[in-house]
Amino acid sequence: MKKSILAILLALVMVASLLPFGALADEDTVVAEHTTPTGSGNYFFANGVHINITASAPAGGSKVSLSGFTATGDSAYISWTDNGDTSYVGVSDSVWVFGGADGRNEAVTVASTSITMTGGTIYRLFGGNYGEEGASTNFCSQVTGDVYISLSGSAKVTSIIYGAGARNTCVNGKVTINLDGVVLNGNESYVIGGSWGN
């Protein structure tokens, strides 16, 4: 009897885990629809996918191109796992990296973000989303869970590191920024756990 009840409960938990996350989001918020990173101009968006930033391309990885992304180069390599395979893009030192999604035109939501950087050089690093740029709006692009950023080794961010993201954005969970032996760029670099801008 106990085994059949446990089996039924396990089945219910499995079914509940298959429900779309968007059903839980605020009706005015769009859940990030991309399950892989995207780009726009100098901006790289991980869309909540865990990314690694390294000084060299990952061994065995497949180079990809992101539609609309112009900050390509060899100053750093951003990689992620997609269906068990490693994909990567080479970026220039002018790239802005976001762990979240592009919410400049409408509010977006991602569950959590995670960025591990062990080498390479980028310009700016944001743990969360890029929110809407106007100061008069009432919505917020959000990370509903946690943000994790880790820099070590020869990792270099030449401008700023913000945990929560940029513009109208927020994190409902915890922001963790771990800097292990990295050298920041003097007076021009700073690290803040909150968000940048309005």
Side-chain angles (χ1 to χ4, degrees):
M1 179 74 172
K2 289 182 180 178
K3 287 184 180 179
S4 63
I5 292 174
L6 183 60
I8 292 170
L9 287 174
L10 184 59
L12 289 172
V13 168
M14 288 174 41
V15 169
S17 71
L18 297 175
L19 292 173
F21 180 77
L24 303 175
D26 185 307
E27 63 186 37
D28 296 328
T29 304
V30 176
V31 175
E33 58 189 50
H34 301 287
T35 56
T36 58
T38 55
S40 174
N42 278 355
Y43 306 138
F44 175 93
F45 299 100
N47 295 312
V49 174
H50 171 74
I51 57 170
N52 292 299
I53 305 174
T54 54
S56 57
S62 299
K63 184 177 182 180
V64 298
S65 60
L66 303 176
S67 178
F69 182 63
T70 59
T72 56
D74 59 5
S75 291
Y77 293 85
I78 304 174
S79 62
W80 61 94
T81 302
D82 185 14
N83 293 323
D85 298 320
T86 300
S87 299
Y88 73 89
V89 61
V91 298
S92 73
D93 60 4
S94 65
V95 69
W96 296 32
V97 176
F98 292 86
D102 187 355
R104 290 176 291 169
N105 295 320
E106 58 186 340
V108 293
T109 298
V110 297
S112 61
T113 70
S114 178
I115 301 168
T116 302
M117 184 174 183
T118 58
T121 301
I122 63 172
Y123 184 53
R124 290 184 169 169
L125 181 61
F126 300 90
N129 301 300
Y130 196 158
E132 202 273 333
E133 294 178 327
S136 61
T137 59
N138 294 319
F139 66 77
C140 178
S141 287
Q142 62 182 310
V143 178
T144 58
D146 298 333
V147 167
Y148 178 76
I149 299 172
S150 174
L151 273 70
S152 62
S154 62
K156 186 174 183 183
V157 178
T158 60
S159 180
I160 56 178
I161 300 171
Y162 274 88
R167 304 299 181 190
N168 287 324
T169 187
C170 57
V171 175
N172 291 342
K174 179 173 70 171
V175 173
T176 301
I177 302 174
N178 181 36
L179 304 175
D180 184 7
V182 294
V183 178
L184 299 179
N185 195 31
N187 294 332
E188 297 182 18
S189 291
Y190 52 96
V191 179
I192 294 179
S195 67
W196 176 64
N198 48 284

